[in-house]
Amino acid sequence: MKKYTYTESKDTRSGFGAGLLEGGKQNENVVALCADLIGSLKMNDFIKEFPERFFQIGIAEANMMGIAAGLTIGGKIPFTGTFANFSTGRVYDQIRQSIAYSDKNVKIAASHAGLTLGEDGATHQILEDIGLMKMLPGMTVINPCDFNQTKAATIAVAKYEGPVYLRFGRPVVPNFTPADQEFVIGKAVLLNEGTDVSIIATGHLVWEAIQAGEKLAELGINAEIINIHTIKPLDEEAILKSVAKTKCVVTAEEHNRLGGLGDSVAQVLTRELPTPQEYVAVNDSFGESGTPAQLMEKYGLNAAAIVAAAQKVIKRK
């Protein structure tokens, strides 16, 4: 098992803020809009550097999406910023009609996704957003795993032509990917080669998958670990190549098991290579209030759950 280490833990939303600033420096057409959550979205540095390129919309998320779509007509590259719940569920009609159907170059930056929003509870912890967004034709869906990858993803998204949903979180997590990484939209990252089981993870569950791989190695199980940062378009080639070798797969995500990464992987395997699969995801329920660690433990979204799923799926080969 390849060893991964880190020197600090940082929140992925700060990676977005850093990437937004860099994207703004690289292209004067990058603009930002926010629904009264500047601090939560870490947009302060961008606003300080480019005050004339920032628009405070207030608590009017649907209006923000419409304005963003309009800005693209003049050649601007708008990033909208609010919580993932308000970036998707609250404004789905506006995204569908004004952005996706109209193929507008809007970047929907969604913070505080999943259970790890924590104490704010189920009303704010959206677990359906990946499913909602990946079903929209032409929408790219990205869910990076740490600060460095979120920063790199944001810079790459600013250069990409087309609507994008960029999902990230609130808590600090290990920052273990390279600071100088090249982020290629739609290209999975192979973290560890293995022969016994494929573990395909996204977002905050990538680090948990690495920890699970180390535990499995102690048990004599050689896990192949893949970081799927782009859920749509999905790197089907990487998935099929891995599963053809290991003959079983575990998917891991901070999302409802219905509609997320696991479903996307299952569709590929059903069509191309039927394979035993286990899901590490929220089992069709809403969340609740608690610390991120408590919630990840209760809902089975951690390394221990991935280890158990791997042991179970290996028996199904």
Side-chain angles (χ1 to χ4, degrees), residues 8-21:
E8 61 180 344
S9 291
K10 302 177 75 172
D11 51 318
T12 50
R13 58 182 171 145
S14 289
F16 164 70
L20 180 64
L21 176 61

Side-chain angles (χ1 to χ4, degrees), residues 83-245:
F83 288 179
N85 194 11
F86 310 145
S87 289
T88 56
R90 180 171 288 182
V91 295
Y92 198 68
D93 179 61
Q94 285 73 25
I95 293 174
R96 184 184 187 275
Q97 304 298 108
S98 299
I99 297 175
Y101 176 70
S102 303
D103 194 29
K104 293 295 189 289
N105 191 32
V106 175
K107 318 306 179 184
I108 302 167
S111 183
H112 293 59
L115 284 175
T116 50
L117 176 55
E119 291 84 352
D120 285 359
T123 57
H124 287 51
Q125 295 162 342
I126 193 161
L127 297 167
E128 316 92 64
D129 55 313
I130 290 174
L132 287 169
M133 300 308 285
K134 78 177 186 180
M135 286 191 295
L136 291 171
M139 182 68 70
T140 294
V141 179
I142 297 175
N143 187 39
C145 67
D146 68 359
F147 173 95
N148 285 340
Q149 191 168 77
T150 307
K151 178 181 178 180
T154 305
I155 296 168
V157 162
K159 299 175 182 177
Y160 175 82
E161 183 68 29
V164 176
Y165 180 61
L166 178 61
R167 181 189 206 249
F168 43 92
R170 176 187 189 182
V172 295
V173 292
N175 187 33
F176 65 95
T177 66
D180 61 348
Q181 66 189 275
E182 179 186 11
F183 188 94
V184 181
I185 293 173
K187 185 66 174 177
V189 179
L190 178 61
L191 296 175
N192 189 71
E193 291 192 46
T195 56
D196 297 327
V197 59
S198 297
I199 300 176
I200 300 174
T202 188
H204 293 153
L205 270 292
V206 173
W207 180 254
E208 297 298 324
I210 290 171
Q211 300 304 295
E214 293 183 358
K215 177 62 177 177
L216 289 167
E218 295 174 2
L219 299 173
I221 297 172
N222 187 8
E224 181 145 299
I225 302 173
I226 300 175
N227 172 8
I228 295 283
H229 53 64
T230 305
I231 296 172
K232 183 186 176 185
L234 190 66
D235 191 344
E236 297 186 8
E237 181 181 357
I239 293 167
L240 291 170
K241 181 180 178 180
S242 177
V243 174
K245 176 173 53 174

